Amino acid sequence: MASPASKYDDYDFPTTAPEPKPGHPGHTTADQDAKVEQLRSELEAEGYTERLDTLTLLRFLRARKFDVAASKLMFVESEKWRKEFGTDDLARTFEYTEKAEVFKYYPQYYHKTDKDGRPVYIEKLGGIDLKALEKITTDDRMLKNLVTEYEKLADPRLPACSRKSGKLLETCCSIMDLQGVSLFSASSVYGYLSRTSNVSQNYYPERLGKMYLINAPWGFSTVWSVVKGFLDPVTVEKIHVLGSGYKKDLLAQVPAENLPKQYGGTCECEGGCEYSDMGPWREPEWAKEPKLPSPHHTCSTADASLS
């Protein structure tokens, strides 16, 4: 990275982004480096000691166009949410024992990598049946599972992918299967999906590399043309809306051997791709134990004053 190493920068994987995009690791300006140091210094002054490494701070700064005050607010809000939600303990303790039953109605899983080496995340929205899911689990446990998977994306998935590819990878390739979703039925699950979307946008910034919305229902493109007007152009550029003829586009991004057969690839994991969690994070050559935060890590001065 262009910026001076910090005591928080304990990395065991490549730290230079593959593309020379402004504000990305290894491609920052002196002004951007100074803003990283300013943000870190201000957070330290308030007692924060976790997640102050350069890669993390750059993600928050990019999410707020390198506005230090806005980035700091976003970081502080994220830390507050992490404490209230118990995020640091989830990766260590959460067990989604009802996963197989939930996946009958709502499969969500990471599966191998795309041609850029990034983890592929697949979510099938068409079968969501909230009433059926209520008999199996709760919204809270579904959200905890989602957050646990976000934590695992940060470590060990992305570090393992970075080691294997020999370049820094900070994002994933998402495939959202809309088959079976109608514009009417989508409204019934909007509450849950908006809640999960808020979590990803507010607390896990800059994690989306590309997103493919496949099997988009009739009329969706009209809705999308309106929605994208409210989104950041950088985000819109990452999202591709496809109908049923999506296979060529997916195979241009994901190797056939890594893409489940049901989506036009050749992969048929034993027991089902959705349950395998296959990827570099499962390969001994690249996988390492995640660096989990201390269960009793130092809280901020603001937190201490409230206790």
Side-chain angles (χ1 to χ4, degrees), residues 130-185:
L130 291 185
K131 289 187 177 180
L133 288 171
E134 284 173 3
K135 298 174 183 177
I136 301 167
T137 189
T138 63
D139 273 9
D140 185 59
R141 282 186 60 78
M142 288 171 64
L143 192 61
K144 283 182 177 177
N145 175 63
L146 183 78
V147 170
T148 299
E149 293 302 322
Y150 271 131
E151 292 295 300
K152 290 179 180 177
L153 173 65
D155 191 11
R157 290 191 179 103
L158 285 170
C161 291
S162 296
R163 294 181 197 108
K164 185 171 185 176
S165 66
K167 58 193 177 186
L168 175 65
L169 297 171
E170 298 186 285
T171 62
C172 63
C173 174
S174 297
I175 300 171
M176 311 297 281
D177 185 0
L178 304 178
Q179 186 171 26
V181 175
S182 67
L183 296 181
F184 174 76
S185 65

Side-chain angles (χ1 to χ4, degrees), residues 52-290:
L52 297 184
D53 63 283
T54 303
L55 296 182
T56 298
L57 296 186
L58 274 174
R59 286 193 301 106
F60 278 87
L61 283 163
R62 289 199 304 273
R64 291 296 179 263
K65 312 298 184 189
F66 278 84
D67 180 322
V68 174
S71 302
K72 179 183 175 183
L73 178 61
M74 185 184 194
F75 185 94
V76 169
E77 287 295 318
S78 175
E79 289 297 300
K80 178 184 177 183
W81 169 81
R82 292 181 70 91
K83 182 181 179 185
E84 293 173 348
F85 200 74
T87 304
D88 286 343
D89 291 328
L90 286 178
R92 190 181 286 105
T93 63
F94 184 73
E95 293 184 23
Y96 204 39
T97 53
E98 66 270 42
K99 178 178 179 177
E101 287 299 306
V102 170
F103 274 27
K104 290 179 182 178
Y105 304 99
Y106 188 19
Q108 311 160 269
Y109 58 100
Y110 287 90
H111 182 266
K112 299 188 176 181
T113 56
D114 69 2
K115 291 182 179 179
D116 294 315
R118 296 176 296 204
V120 173
Y121 174 73
I122 300 173
E123 190 165 315
K124 194 169 183 177
L125 297 166
I128 295 181
D129 183 335
L130 291 185
K131 289 187 177 180
L133 288 171
E134 284 173 3
K135 298 174 183 177
I136 301 167
T137 189
T138 63
D139 273 9
D140 185 59
R141 282 186 60 78
M142 288 171 64
L143 192 61
K144 283 182 177 177
N145 175 63
L146 183 78
V147 170
T148 299
E149 293 302 322
Y150 271 131
E151 292 295 300
K152 290 179 180 177
L153 173 65
D155 191 11
R157 290 191 179 103
L158 285 170
C161 291
S162 296
R163 294 181 197 108
K164 185 171 185 176
S165 66
K167 58 193 177 186
L168 175 65
L169 297 171
E170 298 186 285
T171 62
C172 63
C173 174
S174 297
I175 300 171
M176 311 297 281
D177 185 0
L178 304 178
Q179 186 171 26
V181 175
S182 67
L183 296 181
F184 174 76
S185 65
S187 63
S188 66
V189 296
Y190 178 78
Y192 173 74
L193 293 178
S194 64
R195 194 176 169 200
T196 61
S197 177
N198 285 336
V199 167
S200 63
Q201 289 183 52
N202 296 330
Y203 312 131
Y204 297 95
E206 296 287 297
R207 285 303 192 201
L208 177 63
K210 287 189 177 181
M211 176 181 284
Y212 294 87
L213 297 172
I214 64 172
N215 289 313
W218 179 86
F220 185 86
S221 58
T222 303
V223 174
W224 171 243
S225 65
V226 175
V227 171
K228 69 181 183 181
F230 298 98
L231 298 176
D232 187 306
V234 176
T235 300
V236 172
E237 190 180 319
K238 298 175 181 178
I239 301 174
H240 307 269
V241 179
L242 308 171
S244 58
Y246 60 81
K247 293 180 182 178
K248 182 180 177 181
D249 293 82
L250 282 192
L251 288 171
Q253 185 63 36
V254 184
E257 64 271 21
N258 288 2
L259 188 65
K261 193 171 182 179
Q262 71 178 110
Y263 294 118
T266 59
C267 188
E268 293 182 277
C269 292
E270 185 176 349
C273 291
E274 64 266 41
Y275 302 109
S276 71
D277 194 32
M278 289 302 297
W281 51 93
R282 292 284 187 184
E283 299 168 9
E285 186 178 357
W286 314 111
K288 292 189 179 183
E289 284 294 314

